[in-house]
């Protein structure tokens, strides 16, 4: 009965797009309680414990195949579910599908405030912004988008290719990182016209046989999987799988952690 009640409550809040009343409590800890009205609005948080959101069908009133898992360190947007104790990723009012976590507390994340992340990089804070095709990260690193290429395998089913994002990174952080992971940590990439909820992370999972057909991209793809250190500049490729909305898109939006966006058109190559 408890599970059935939860399904009905989820459907009610998803279809309405609203949030039920929640009580306000003081926030003496670093993170507001799940009961706080602070979570009535969508907030940015940094994940501190691996967390999975399951896909919920508001029309059928049940969970369906699909989930989003966020690892420690990922910055995401969430709000309280409202009709029950739990969390949802934001989506448009009336949306059929939502991503839901039934965690009953906020101990899996910490509130994300723009200037609170500076200590992770350097003591020198930079205003994050786009200038043409170049983005300045708050640690002073600069990422220039050189181009997007869709690799079509023409197999007639999902995961029928790859999206290759070619970027140049001038690295200013004092903490060495794997180059393409640095992009995943600071940006969402998703089809133009969609939202960051439809993003993918670069995964480097190109089939070996396909990689052999792409000799012009091999070195840049490998460069993305190597560590970059302070003061270095590197051009590399972040690769994404072409599935779901990605496979039919011709342009893609790159969004930072503060909601600043820029859209790029991709070229197409068949293999």
């Amino acid at each position: 009965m408890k599970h059935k009640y939860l399904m009905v409550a989820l459907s009610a809040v998803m279809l309405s797009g609203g949030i039920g009343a929640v009580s306000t409590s003081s926030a003496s800890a670093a993170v507001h309680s799940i009961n706080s009205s602070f979570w009535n609005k969508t907030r940015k948080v940094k994940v501190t414990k691996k967390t999975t959101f399951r896909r919920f069908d508001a029309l059928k009133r049940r969970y369906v195949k699909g989930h989003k898992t966020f690892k420690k360190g990922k910055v995401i947007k969430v709000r309280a579910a409202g009709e029950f104790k739990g969390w949802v990723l934001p989506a448009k009012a009336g949306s059929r599908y939502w991503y839901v976590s039934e965690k009953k507390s906020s101990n899996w994340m910490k509130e994300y405030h723009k200037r609170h992340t500076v200590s992770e990089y350097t003591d020198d804070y930079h205003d994050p912004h786009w200038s043409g095709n170049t983005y300045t990260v708050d640690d002073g690193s600069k990422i220039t988008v050189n181009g997007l290429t869709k690799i079509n395998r023409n197999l007639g089913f999902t995961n029928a290719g790859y999206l290759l994002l070619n970027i140049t990174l001038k690295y200013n952080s004092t903490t060495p990182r794997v180059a393409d992971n640095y992009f995943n940590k600071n940006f969402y990439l998703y089809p133009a016209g969609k939202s960051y909820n439809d993003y993918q992370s670069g995964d480097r999972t190109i089939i070996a046989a396909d990689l052999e057909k792409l000799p012009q991209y091999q070195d840049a793809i490998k460069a993305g999987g190597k560590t970059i250190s302070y003061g270095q500049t590197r051009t590399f490729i972040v690769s994404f799988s072409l599935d779901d909305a990605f496979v039919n898109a011709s342009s893609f939006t790159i969004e930072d952690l503060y909601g600043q966006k820029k859209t790029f058109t991709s070229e197409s190559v068949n293999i």
Side-chain angles (χ1 to χ4, degrees), residues 80-235:
E83 295 295 328
F84 69 101
K85 277 195 175 182
W87 307 91
V88 295
L89 301 180
K92 293 181 180 179
S95 293
R96 176 174 176 177
Y97 298 105
W98 293 69
Y99 286 89
V100 177
S101 168
E102 295 180 35
K103 288 196 172 186
K104 301 295 190 293
S105 72
S106 53
N107 65 2
W108 56 275
M109 48 81 160
K110 63 180 180 180
E111 293 162 25
Y112 183 88
H113 301 290
K114 188 160 94 172
R115 294 181 181 272
H116 289 182
T117 62
V118 177
S119 60
E120 298 179 14
Y121 307 105
T122 68
D123 293 330
D124 185 16
Y125 177 80
H126 297 259
D127 182 34
H129 66 280
W130 284 99
S131 178
N133 290 350
T134 299
Y135 179 88
T136 300
V137 187
D138 54 11
D139 65 0
S141 299
K142 293 182 182 293
I143 288 181
T144 299
V145 176
N146 302 315
L148 274 168
T149 304
K150 283 181 67 176
I151 307 298
N152 302 305
R153 299 176 68 211
N154 296 322
L155 298 178
F157 53 82
T158 59
N159 194 21
Y162 315 97
L163 178 69
L164 306 182
L165 170 65
N166 186 297
I167 58 179
T168 298
L169 170 60
K170 184 177 181 181
Y171 197 60
N172 194 55
S173 170
T174 57
T175 302
R177 296 184 188 276
V178 174
D180 55 10
N181 285 345
Y182 181 79
F183 177 86
N184 288 332
K185 179 179 176 63
N186 287 283
F187 299 95
Y188 302 102
L189 184 145
Y190 51 85
K194 300 290 185 178
S195 76
Y196 85 95
N197 285 320
D198 300 292
Y199 88 97
Q200 285 192 33
S201 292
D203 52 23
R204 263 185 270 143
T205 55
I206 297 181
I207 298 172
D210 290 339
L211 192 58
E212 291 179 1
K213 300 175 184 178
L214 303 168
Q216 68 272 42
Y217 302 113
Q218 289 177 7
D219 289 344
I221 292 171
K222 292 177 182 177
K226 296 180 179 180
T227 300
I228 189 169
S229 300
Y230 176 80
Q232 293 182 332
T233 298
R234 181 183 302 167
T235 297

